[in-house]
Amino acid sequence: MDSDAAQAMIRFGLGPRADRLAPADPRGWLASQLRAAGPAPTPGTAAALEALRADRRDKPKPMQSRTHALFLRDALAHLTQGLTTEQGFRERLVWFWANHFSVSIRQGPVAGLIGPFIAEAIRPHVTGRFADMLLAVMRHPAMLLYLNNAFSFGPDSPAGRRTGRGLNENLARESLELHTVGLASGFTQADVTSYAKILTGWSINLKADPPGFMFRRFAHEPGWHSLLGHRFPPGEAGGVAALRFLGTHPATYRHLATQLAAQFVADDPPSAAVSQLFDTLHRTGGDLGAAAAALPHLPGAWRAETKLRTPQDLLIGAGRALGLRQAERPMLWALHLLGQPLWAAPQPNGWGDKAADWAAPEAMLRRVDFAYAMAGRFPRPAPTVGHAALGPRLRPATGTALARAGSRRDALALLLSSPEFQRR
Amino acid sequence: MLTRRATLLGLGVSAAAPGSALALAAGGGERRLVVVIQRGAMDGMSAVVPYGDPGLRALRARLIPPPPGQPEGMGDLGGFFGLHPAMPRMLAMYRAGQLLPVHAVAGPWRVRSHFEAQDDLESGAPDRLDSGWLNRVAAELPAGGVAGQAMAVGVDMPLLLRGPARVGSWAPAGFGPVAPDLYARAAGLAAGDPVIGPALTEGLREQGFTDGALGAGGRRRGRAAHGFVALAGAAGRLLAAPGGPRLAAISVDGWDTHVGQVPRLHVMLGELDRGLAALRATLGPAWRQTVVLTMTEFGRTARENGTGGTDHGTAGVAFLAGGAVAGGRVLATWPGLRPGQLFQNRDLAPTQDLRALAKGVLAGHLGLPEAALGRVFPGSAGVKGVGGVVRA
């Protein structure tokens, strides 16, 4: 493995697998992953909503509910996919976009829906158009429940007038601030309120067979509404038009370019990297495949170890280095202890990906605890793992420390907690 | 605009808590400050309900707890404000003169983004800075004990405590014991890494301290150990321990009540109530030298929204709690709730700068001089500290 292959697999992918050869043509290996879309996902949203409906009828204890069982199944499948995928770059893009449109079990009855959300709203679009991903996200029951839009009523809609219920602007605000144009666009409170009105009626029908998205005409606020200087007509089509507008807005491209560069180049990426990504998104009308293809060509993209691995990155990177093929329940607990429980971000902005977000002293000690626990559970010869996982990144000082360690377990723990392993 | 101005609403219940003068004789070096960050924006008008305002019912009839004296009713705070019924322990603190609710308070920012406002709240400035104001407080204090002057309680290091001063962190639970010298060897290997090296070195320095203060079980406990009540209890033990830090910060998520606010807030406020009681219990005698400041990024809309909740607003409530607090009253210049009195016809209008409240605590409690306050809150020269919030 040369340093370019290491960079391709560790920075852009999820880390080398112990049982796979390094790519001979690292740049070609990255590009090929963007052309080969995976198999179409198995639809799971309706089944998850049926499980939610049944839970509401039977009222099981939370840990015995159908939705909790779905959460566990999907969470372990998600980690297993990370451990085993041959397309680590593509999978990292899935992680990135799932975190950009974060849905968390900390709010709303979404536990059974996050797996289907990623499968149906995120995964098919990671090399497609951003506006298509945005539309799929905003129609998905997971997002409509997580940020409360399913129960937002137009105050002047028939249902609003009859019941006295009204707007909930949570999804509208976070969609502007976090998902699309961002704060730098200078959107106002009036934009948030208008957008919330445009989105009224975007809801779910839990009683239908199959249950799923439903545009509730009688909850929809009548009239035209102005968003960022553009006017949108009433009706579901007005919402679709507003999402197309936001999804192709230059401020959205600027926002996405900044976040992508921070994920793939450095915590504080060169401004040239951001502007190149912006130009690509702008020129292609928000083609995320073109943006992904541009990532390896950005200034700074091949400078090694500028990024700290997040806990999820560390877990999957270690699991791949150790040759694991199947995620296990204790891995979910490990992510919890490391401060990044899966699909449970505390707030709608998802998880941070900068070193300062993860560098608390206690968190770093826990990474050593984690390394020691993994080394005990999955004993492997540390030098072999080190060469396969890090190639030329393995420093002589670390190699010496592995050789001098008092036990094989200590050696492997030192490798997994070394700075070169904790960076990407 | 502000037609009804009523400063210091609520009558003092007790002028001085028994024993408080004695406690303070121990000296400024024993004084402790705990900052609780309530992420997501607490609805101040539910925590401290202005039930005496004639405009309240029209805005949010379904969000108001029963009046004082009724079953499940709020606790009366002097005839105009009521404390939410989920907070009986804090009501007792109020009656003992150890709780000072501060209403219509906001920072100098006027944004409704959680994330931007939390950055501002922790930076202590109208815009995000690279360090937090509590870290800059630590830098103004004499060098701390083995764990440093300040400690984050919880897994993450909030911006509030990031910065040049050395700050520790502690969190419950772990992966089980590691080989005895493994941390030291890992720290040695990472010595050249600008992030991992210092963090491990700092973690090791604290670890000896926290294990001693919390006992052998300190690093290995279950899920319940992660909640605010457990973190607050642990913070009290750490702050009370010999050589312990004088400053601590704890984050509590979950205040973003857009939907079904009444039951959710009941849980959140109850947890805050039990957490502050746990902190008082584990601090022991040191409670008398302690001030707790609870703060949130902004308040919520004065009007109920369409889903039984509230959306992002402006002014809200901060609490000062502790044996060193001159409480038993509500500190508020009440702006009123008529449409013309609301901020942008939407939110409770701010009449109290949060930095002024913090400055009052830092000057009165920790003895920080004016120049230091200016370094802690850059660009706040015109913001004068609120006097009389702590016992002399």
Side-chain angles (χ1 to χ4, degrees):
Chain A
M1 184 194 317
D2 63 12
S3 59
D4 278 4
Q7 182 79 344
M9 289 191 286
I10 299 171
R11 167 69 57 77
F12 294 96
L14 302 180
R17 269 198 64 86
D19 49 8
R20 286 284 177 277
L21 291 173
D25 170 15
R27 286 169 173 79
W29 178 73
L30 292 175
S32 69
Q33 298 181 38
L34 303 177
R35 292 191 294 269
T42 323
T45 300
L49 289 171
E50 282 164 7
L52 178 61
R53 187 167 64 191
D55 278 350
R56 293 204 159 163
R57 184 188 62 223
D58 303 341
K59 301 186 172 47
K61 290 183 183 147
M63 291 299 134
Q64 293 162 8
S65 67
R66 295 170 182 82
T67 46
H68 181 69
L70 288 178
F71 173 83
L72 282 181
R73 182 198 70 184
D74 293 345
L76 291 176
H78 185 70
L79 295 181
T80 297
Q81 172 75 6
L83 289 174
T84 56
T85 183
E86 306 277 340
Q87 301 190 324
F89 182 30
R90 193 177 187 91
E91 194 65 15
R92 181 175 292 286
L93 291 167
V94 172
W95 287 13
F96 172 85
W97 290 112
N99 191 55
H100 178 81
F101 290 111
S102 178
V103 173
S104 162
I105 55 171
R106 297 210 193 183
Q107 183 169 284
V110 297
L113 284 161
I114 302 179
F117 170 73
I118 294 173
E120 294 164 39
I122 303 293
R123 199 174 280 283
H125 299 292
V126 295
T127 53
R129 303 258 160 211
F130 177 74
D132 293 338
M133 183 189 285
L134 177 65
L135 187 61
V137 163
M138 295 291 278
R139 291 175 75 94
H140 197 278
M143 186 60 83
L144 292 169
L145 286 169
Y146 174 54
L147 290 179
N148 316 130
N149 203 73
F151 311 106
S152 179
F153 284 69
D156 289 323
S157 67
R161 283 174 174 274
R162 193 177 67 247
T163 62
R165 297 167 78 173
L167 286 183
N168 181 314
E169 63 183 40
N170 199 14
L171 177 61
R173 176 180 301 281
E174 305 305 12
S175 173
L176 289 177
E177 176 180 346
L178 303 176
H179 302 162
T180 62
V181 292
L183 287 171
S185 67
F187 67 82
T188 64
Q189 178 59 44
D191 290 316
V192 173
T193 306
S194 279
Y195 187 30
K197 287 177 178 171
I198 290 169
L199 292 175
T200 48
W202 288 52
S203 184
I204 61 167
N205 187 345
L206 208 52
K207 294 183 184 140
D209 278 306
F213 173 83
M214 178 185 190
F215 179 71
R216 294 184 181 275
R217 191 182 319 279
F218 294 112
H220 184 65
E221 181 75 356
W224 289 64
H225 301 289
S226 176
L227 172 60
L228 295 172
H230 283 246
R231 290 175 60 73
F232 296 94
E236 185 180 359
V240 172
L243 290 171
R244 293 264 170 233
F245 167 72
L246 291 172
T248 55
H249 197 288
T252 298
Y253 296 149
R254 175 76 56 192
H255 185 199
L256 300 180
T258 308
Q259 292 184 324
L260 278 166
Q263 166 72 209
F264 285 95
V265 177
D267 287 0
D268 191 9
S271 57
V274 176
S275 33
Q276 281 184 30
L277 277 174
F278 171 79
D279 290 344
T280 302
L281 286 165
H282 199 254
R283 191 183 67 244
T284 61
D287 182 338
L288 300 183
L295 293 171
H297 302 284
L298 298 178
W302 294 83
R303 189 176 313 137
E305 298 183 42
T306 58
K307 295 288 295 180
L308 189 72
R309 278 176 156 164
T310 65
Q312 187 173 320
D313 242 326
L314 186 68
L315 171 77
I316 295 300
R320 292 174 69 88
L322 297 170
L324 309 187
R325 303 207 70 93
Q326 187 72 47
E328 304 172 351
R329 284 282 289 274
M331 291 182 183
L332 295 174
W333 180 234
L335 286 175
H336 177 83
L337 292 173
L338 290 169
Q340 195 184 23
L342 187 64
W343 299 342
Q347 303 193 95
N349 55 345
W351 299 107
D353 81 338
K354 297 186 164 62
D357 298 321
W358 302 105
E362 173 67 25
M364 281 296 158
L365 285 182
R366 287 187 179 195
R367 290 181 177 218
V368 181
D369 297 348
F370 163 76
Y372 191 71
M374 290 291 275
R377 174 92 175 71
F378 306 106
R380 308 274 190 277
T384 315
V385 174
H387 285 294
L390 297 168
R393 289 189 180 191
L394 187 67
R395 296 176 307 155
T398 302
T400 307
L402 302 188
R404 287 188 187 156
S407 72
R408 300 181 79 173
R409 181 175 182 180
D410 282 12
L412 188 53
L414 282 172
L415 173 71
L416 298 178
S417 57
S418 68
E420 57 265 52
F421 195 84
Q422 295 202 50
R423 290 190 167 273
R424 68 176 180 91
Chain B
M1 275 285 281
L2 308 181
T3 54
R4 177 171 183 183
R5 300 185 70 85
T7 310
L8 301 183
L9 277 164
L11 295 171
V13 169
S14 74
S20 60
L22 177 71
L24 288 182
E30 286 295 309
R31 299 191 190 189
R32 293 153 173 93
L33 172 63
V34 181
V35 179
V36 177
I37 309 169
Q38 298 168 289
R39 297 186 191 279
M42 177 180 75
D43 183 38
M45 294 223 293
S46 285
V48 178
V49 185
Y51 72 87
D53 191 306
L56 181 67
R57 192 149 289 276
L59 293 169
R60 43 164 64 204
R62 285 177 292 189
L63 303 183
I64 309 172
Q70 290 197 10
E72 300 292 309
M74 51 189 130
D76 191 34
L77 304 179
F80 184 85
F81 293 110
L83 193 66
H84 191 281
M87 307 159 87
R89 297 164 189 85
M90 290 171 69
L91 183 62
M93 287 178 197
Y94 177 88
R95 290 180 173 152
Q98 298 186 344
L99 182 77
L100 179 66
V102 184
H103 220 314
V105 66
W109 49 91
R110 293 291 171 267
V111 295
R112 294 195 183 94
S113 153
H114 288 304
F115 317 106
E116 197 176 22
Q118 285 172 31
D119 282 350
D120 298 343
L121 175 74
E122 297 176 66
S123 299
D127 292 296
R128 185 192 160 107
L129 308 174
D130 288 336
S131 64
W133 66 261
L134 197 57
N135 185 286
R136 299 194 295 273
V137 171
E140 297 291 342
L141 298 176
V146 64
Q149 276 291 10
M151 183 165 265
V153 182
V155 177
D156 68 330
M157 177 64 70
L159 174 61
L160 180 70
L161 276 174
R162 295 184 198 170
R166 190 162 69 82
V167 169
S169 72
W170 177 86
F175 288 93
V178 306
D181 61 342
L182 191 66
Y183 294 128
R185 280 184 288 157
L189 267 183
D193 188 289
V195 172
I196 303 170
L200 277 176
T201 307
E202 180 57 34
L204 277 178
R205 186 156 36 209
E206 296 153 25
Q207 194 188 29
F209 165 73
T210 55
D211 284 358
L214 298 176
R219 291 179 62 80
R220 284 183 292 283
R221 274 185 288 138
R223 254 170 219 276
H226 289 269
F228 175 65
V229 179
L231 291 180
R237 286 196 294 280
L238 293 165
L239 287 160
R246 290 294 174 261
L247 309 172
I250 313 174
S251 294
V252 199
D253 299 317
W255 296 94
D256 196 19
T257 51
H258 286 279
V259 173
Q261 169 168 310
V262 169
R264 285 189 60 184
L265 212 46
H266 206 278
V267 172
M268 296 300 299
L269 292 170
E271 189 179 51
L272 180 68
D273 184 70
R274 284 179 286 119
L276 292 189
L279 181 68
R280 180 182 55 191
T282 52
L283 275 169
W287 171 254
R288 282 177 286 174
Q289 295 138 301
T290 297
V291 172
V292 183
L293 165 65
T294 74
M295 59 182 200
T296 191
E297 64 262 35
F298 40 66
R300 308 190 67 85
T301 47
R303 288 182 193 85
E304 181 183 342
N305 71 6
T307 52
T310 47
D311 294 322
H312 302 186
T314 305
V317 162
F319 288 107
L320 293 182
V325 170
R329 61 200 168 110
V330 177
L331 180 63
T333 302
W334 188 245
L337 294 176
R338 287 205 304 273
Q341 295 172 319
L342 294 177
F343 179 71
Q344 297 178 349
N345 185 25
R346 170 188 165 99
D347 308 334
L348 182 65
T351 58
Q352 173 69 63
D353 190 319
L354 182 62
R355 294 173 301 175
L357 181 65
K359 280 184 172 186
V361 172
L362 298 176
H365 186 54
L366 299 180
L368 259 56
E370 195 61 37
L373 297 177
R375 289 188 290 272
V376 170
F377 295 107
S380 68
V383 181
K384 198 169 154 16
V386 183
V389 295
V390 295
R391 299 186 186 283

